[in-house]
Amino acid sequence: MSRWKGLPASLDHRVRHLVVQLRRLKDHSGLSLAALAARTSYSKSSWERYLNGKKLPPRAAVEALARVCEADVPRLLALHEVAEQAWNAEQPGPPAEKAEKNEKNETAESNETAEKPVPATAVPPATATAAPPPSGRSMPFGPLVLGALAVLVAAGAVLLVARLWQDANGIGRGAGAAMTAGGTGAAPAFTHRPGEVFGCRVQRSAGALYAGHSRTDTAVLGSGASGWDVVEAQCLLRHQGYDPGGVDGIVGGRTVRAVKRLQATFKLPTDGIVGPDTWKVLRR
């Protein structure tokens, strides 16, 4: 495992997070900086700057590292998108100009490692100003479209990073992540691990109670049944004051007894089976 230098204290936390992930990939692959340079189009010195927080790596460099290390390419590119916004916000000059300059510098440096440097006189000077639009035509719509696209891309990257962070920390597991009391999203397939319990967030919507796991009011749940409908019923039983035991999505003995107590209270047949009549009581 490489002994990395500490990252600059002034480095934005979003850039820091990207660099830490790149360092972990490099360490896990066992590649040296020289080997990494040999397998990508970026030099050893470039990777040294990228991995020590001295310069933001270009998108292509992040993608190249991900592919070399067989990592999740979309995930790293999403992290890079967020880090690039933070980096550009702290650096002077238009972001597009900085990105273009950075990419040109890295390409030139990579070429130097493989062949003789190109004389400076061979490179034509950059145009000082952009060519004006044709006379009689205005283009206000183009910048607006580009700006809107940039906002959409940034929003999508932030949402993706948030979802990845939730997945990494075990947040959002269960039907509540896809189906809330006010929504109708499809719940994921039900799986249960020994000892696992699910959270309950009971809310009232359109005059009925929902715990965020199922919106059914007709499912028939007897002893041994399992699934998100069972999780929903267990949450509502607990909310109504009838303890079903652990909210594990499985109808066991304690859940059956809780259902019978509720049915007896509301003058329903005490069969311990959750059916349409019992659902009506649970959702009051």
Side-chain angles (χ1 to χ4, degrees), residues 119-200:
T121 55
V123 181
T127 304
T129 57
S135 58
R137 295 179 60 189
S138 60
M139 295 183 294
F141 186 68
L144 290 177
V145 172
L146 292 177
L149 289 175
V151 171
L152 290 175
V153 170
V158 171
L159 288 175
L160 178 57
V161 172
R163 181 58 184 271
L164 291 171
W165 181 85
Q166 288 180 339
D167 291 342
N169 290 275
I171 299 173
R173 177 174 170 78
M179 178 181 296
T180 63
T184 58
F190 177 81
T191 57
H192 178 265
R193 301 169 185 169
E196 182 177 26
V197 293
F198 301 94
C200 298

Side-chain angles (χ1 to χ4, degrees), residues 129-277:
T129 57
S135 58
R137 295 179 60 189
S138 60
M139 295 183 294
F141 186 68
L144 290 177
V145 172
L146 292 177
L149 289 175
V151 171
L152 290 175
V153 170
V158 171
L159 288 175
L160 178 57
V161 172
R163 181 58 184 271
L164 291 171
W165 181 85
Q166 288 180 339
D167 291 342
N169 290 275
I171 299 173
R173 177 174 170 78
M179 178 181 296
T180 63
T184 58
F190 177 81
T191 57
H192 178 265
R193 301 169 185 169
E196 182 177 26
V197 293
F198 301 94
C200 298
R201 296 182 60 185
V202 179
Q203 301 177 14
R204 186 170 296 279
S205 175
L209 293 175
Y210 295 93
H213 298 284
S214 171
R215 297 185 66 83
T216 184
D217 56 7
T218 59
V220 177
L221 310 174
S223 180
S226 64
W228 294 119
D229 294 339
V230 177
V231 177
E232 181 79 4
Q234 289 174 327
C235 286
L236 295 177
L237 282 166
R238 175 169 291 180
H239 181 76
Q240 298 280 13
Y242 302 89
D243 185 10
V247 180
D248 56 4
I250 302 173
V251 177
R254 292 187 64 176
T255 299
V256 171
R257 290 192 291 272
V259 172
K260 287 183 177 181
R261 290 196 298 272
L262 177 136
Q263 291 171 332
T265 301
F266 290 92
K267 310 301 182 184
L268 299 175
T270 55
D271 54 8
I273 299 174
V274 178
D277 291 336

Side-chain angles (χ1 to χ4, degrees), residues 63-81:
E63 183 174 0
L65 177 62
R67 295 192 185 283
V68 167
C69 299
E70 298 182 354
D72 188 341
V73 175
R75 175 179 180 273
L76 280 180
L77 291 182
L79 294 178
H80 178 270
E81 186 79 27

Side-chain angles (χ1 to χ4, degrees), residues 21-87:
Q21 295 301 315
L22 297 181
R23 284 181 170 185
R24 288 177 179 173
L25 281 179
K26 184 265 182 189
D27 288 341
H28 184 71
S29 70
L31 296 173
S32 65
L33 291 178
L36 188 59
R39 298 183 64 175
T40 65
S41 60
Y42 296 85
S43 67
K44 176 181 176 181
S45 60
S46 293
W47 283 115
E48 188 276 333
R49 288 194 293 272
Y50 301 155
L51 297 176
N52 283 293
K54 298 176 182 178
K55 180 180 291 187
L56 181 72
R59 176 187 173 92
V62 173
E63 183 174 0
L65 177 62
R67 295 192 185 283
V68 167
C69 299
E70 298 182 354
D72 188 341
V73 175
R75 175 179 180 273
L76 280 180
L77 291 182
L79 294 178
H80 178 270
E81 186 79 27
V82 176
E84 185 177 37
Q85 293 176 20
W87 183 274

